[in-house]
Amino acid sequence: MKRRIFSATTLGVALACGMSATSAFAQTKWDLATAYPATNFHTENLAQLASDVDKATAGKFKITLHANAALFKAPEIKRAVQGGQAQMGEILLANFQNEWQLFGADGLPFLADSYEASHKLYTAQKPFLDKKLAEQGMKLLYSVPWPPQGIFTKKPLASAADLKGIKWRAYSPATARIAELVGAQPVTVQQAELSQALATGVVEATMTSGATGVDSKLYESLKYYYDTQAWLPKNAVMVNKKAFDALDKPSQDALLKAAADAEARGWTQSAKVNTDTIAKLKANGMSIETPPAALKADMAKVGETMLKEWLEKAGPDGKALVDAYRK
């Protein structure tokens, strides 16, 4: 009988110790959704963030990165983070302009057409983003711009008139509106499907960055790239607020530190990628063109029209944002 009692006691102690060890080494596991390829600089930046968090927490906080729309498609990621299906996600802010106009501020043509101007616009936009995402149960971690946007086409362009009737890939409300204003036919295609859309003739032109041009091998279907430097749309990385609040303080601090590092690294990398990818496009046979004066003037008018329309829809907050940016 004594032996049986001893065994039961030993078993109880062993279980208690096991539970204690499990608790001590319990991991927090998050899913991070993005729509871009693993080789894209935004995705590489996210991978570095996940690695930094892992190291800073000694493996206690693991973030699994799901690239190339493997977990959720681009339009679904924001709602997935908001609803908690993914604790963390990356979106292109301009994609959600129809939901809230200020998401699309950095997609307005020629409002901010350099990295310096883009960062100034981000500084003006950030307080509005923080407030809106908080209202939606999310927290903004950081934001990084794509390289400046240019026009990819199959045929040369002298002016915007040459875009009339062309099948124009749109990926946001702003790019769809540009198509309408120049008389092109907007076709909504996300990046993951862009190569196929070009190969099958669904798309004949697009306005995007050199980085996307290389990622999607646009040189295989399109011949010309007009370096208009029209705008620098930003990706935003956000987290579900409840999931963030549930983290212990060291994990929160590790994530915020990794995010700050990712933002600084991302802005630097974006500028480098811009130079490198234009060189790669050229090396693969694409003709890199400075926009003709008529095309530049036509696109500037498009920008003026879109800013006016945007301000009418965005209301007082939109005006406050633009005024803060232009100070």
Side-chain angles (χ1 to χ4, degrees):
M1 177 65 75
K2 284 184 179 178
R3 184 176 179 183
R4 189 177 300 167
I5 292 170
F6 175 77
S7 298
T9 304
T10 304
L11 178 61
V13 171
L15 283 171
C17 290
M19 287 174 69
S20 177
T22 302
S23 177
F25 293 101
Q27 276 189 340
T28 298
K29 295 183 179 181
W30 276 19
D31 287 312
L32 166 52
T34 183
Y36 304 101
T39 53
N40 181 271
F41 80 98
H42 283 290
T43 314
E44 289 173 347
N45 200 19
L46 288 171
Q48 183 64 53
L49 176 146
S51 176
D52 289 349
V53 168
D54 186 25
K55 288 175 185 173
T57 61
K60 188 179 177 184
F61 184 9
K62 295 276 189 184
I63 299 173
T64 301
L65 175 60
H66 302 270
N68 210 34
L71 191 60
F72 295 100
K73 292 182 179 179
E76 301 167 351
I77 291 174
K78 181 174 175 290
R79 186 173 291 278
V81 174
Q82 192 171 353
Q85 291 99 332
Q87 293 86 356
M88 187 170 174
E90 179 184 45
I91 64 167
L92 181 69
L93 286 169
N95 274 355
F96 298 89
Q97 183 178 332
N98 283 345
E99 176 188 321
W100 184 58
Q101 288 297 312
L102 274 67
F103 281 138
D106 57 16
L108 295 167
F110 306 105
L111 177 63
D113 56 0
S114 68
Y115 281 97
E116 183 181 0
S118 179
H119 199 276
K120 190 179 177 187
L121 181 61
Y122 175 42
T123 301
Q125 187 185 22
K126 191 173 184 300
F128 296 97
L129 291 174
D130 286 337
K131 183 183 177 188
K132 185 66 174 181
L133 291 174
E135 289 171 357
Q136 297 180 335
M138 291 178 284
K139 178 180 177 63
L140 177 67
L141 280 187
Y142 73 90
S143 185
V144 168
W146 287 88
Q149 307 288 287
I151 303 174
F152 290 86
T153 62
K154 284 188 175 182
K155 62 179 186 179
L157 303 175
S159 70
D162 292 324
L163 292 167
K164 195 168 185 180
I166 208 164
K167 295 173 186 173
W168 172 281
R169 176 249 179 168
Y171 62 82
S172 67
T175 51
R177 182 60 179 144
I178 291 169
E180 292 169 0
L181 289 170
V182 299
Q185 297 177 34
V187 182
T188 301
V189 177
Q190 299 304 323
Q191 185 178 341
E193 290 86 37
L194 182 52
S195 295
Q196 185 179 359
L198 286 163
T200 56
V202 172
V203 168
E204 301 169 306
T206 186
M207 199 165 191
T208 191
S209 67
T212 299
V214 169
D215 283 346
S216 300
K217 298 181 179 179
L218 298 190
Y219 46 77
E220 293 181 351
S221 303
L222 304 175
K223 175 65 179 170
Y224 299 91
Y225 177 67
Y226 289 87
D227 192 11
T228 55
Q229 299 188 30
W231 70 92
L232 290 78
K234 295 188 300 293
N235 278 5
V237 177
M238 66 265 248
V239 296
N240 179 279
K241 187 67 167 58
K242 286 182 180 177
F244 179 81
D245 290 344
L247 294 173
D248 60 29
K249 187 68 163 55
S251 295
Q252 288 183 349
D253 290 345
L255 180 58
L256 293 176
K257 171 68 165 61
D261 291 346
E263 183 167 275
R265 183 172 59 238
W267 280 78
T268 300
Q269 188 64 10
S270 179
K272 184 178 184 299
V273 165
N274 185 45
T275 301
D276 292 350
T277 52
I278 288 177
K280 286 178 184 176
L281 292 173
K282 190 172 184 179
N284 280 281
M286 185 161 270
S287 181
I288 310 300
E289 304 286 342
T290 300
L295 178 62
K296 200 167 182 179
D298 289 343
M299 297 310 290
K301 287 178 185 174
V302 167
E304 290 168 10
T305 299
M306 290 179 63
L307 177 58
K308 184 181 177 184
E309 292 174 347
W310 183 85
L311 284 169
E312 288 172 357
K313 292 177 182 176
D317 281 352
K319 184 179 185 304
L321 191 162
V322 172
D323 287 347
Y325 163 64
R326 287 179 164 167
K327 275 184 182 176

